[in-house]
Amino acid sequence: MTADLFADVPPQQRVEPIADGAVVLRQFATSEADAILRAIDTVATAAPLRRMQTPGGHTMSAAMSCCGELGWVSDTRGYRYQSEDPVTGTPWPAMPEVLADLAQRSAAAAGYRDFRPDACLINRYEPGAKMGLHQDKDEQDFDQPIVSVSLGLPQVFQFGGLKRNERPERVPLCHGDVVVWGGPARLRYHGVLTLKAGTHPATGPYRYNLTFRRAR
Ligand code: MD3
Ligand code: FE
């Protein structure tokens, strides 16, 4: 008889402030991960993951899609939010309830009581993929936070200052981790280092990151 002594022990959820205005909710999404991944599959069936062009003519290494009223788009004309997917020419898929609900509960746990995202950007990283230091400033109201959810392989997040030249801190983000970025952290430079190869039971060779935004 080998009873599972830990069957009823909840995952190690912790709240870690990582900077003024930024809170990591470790393992906040772990119990919902499979439902979130099914929602990502549903979105990606209608709005395929694609590698976008940068205004400078490069191809991003992360594959992206969006759901919600607005989606973030990059091409040689610039960065913007728009209501249609340029690949299909149709509106982005609606934000699945499981995603909208998670975003709202995460923001509330960090003190933002009525966060109603109108855009969710889905990033999928394969080994070798990264995202260089940048600011998220295509949204209209910087008083609104951004909620990020990491799933699958771990990846090192880089968190810099308000100027590109400040040396970034490194924070590993793992399966189920949620981060809420608001207040003075909202316009800080950030990015992720190159994803190392591996296999995660839930996502295989990939890391997914969802970012929930209020674009308008
Ligand atoms: C700090 N994504 O989609 S998530 C992005 O892992 C993006 O895919 C990264 O940066 C990723 O724009 C990082 C963490 C994150 C997201 C948005 C932020 C940190 C942030 C906005 C402001 C400050
Ligand atoms: Fe970003």
Side-chain angles (χ1 to χ4, degrees), residues 64-73 80-81 95 99 103 115-123 125 131 134-142 144-148 181 186 190 209-216:
M64 298 178 173
S65 185
C66 300
C67 60
E69 285 162 59
L70 292 165
W72 184 84
V73 170
R80 64 197 169 274
Y81 284 93
M95 197 181 299
L99 300 187
F115 181 55
R116 292 278 183 285
D118 55 12
C120 172
L121 174 62
I122 301 168
N123 297 331
Y125 296 85
M131 190 177 286
H134 66 278
Q135 293 174 297
D136 288 20
K137 53 181 185 185
D138 301 319
E139 301 76 25
Q140 280 181 356
D141 180 2
F142 300 141
Q144 296 278 339
I146 291 182
V147 172
S148 80
W181 314 90
R186 176 66 180 75
H190 60 277
N209 181 264
L210 306 179
T211 44
F212 296 92
R213 299 128 185 279
R214 185 81 208 177
R216 292 184 186 149

Side-chain angles (χ1 to χ4, degrees), residues 181-195:
W181 314 90
R186 176 66 180 75
L187 286 173
R188 284 176 66 168
Y189 277 87
H190 60 277
V192 288
L193 299 183
T194 303
L195 185 70

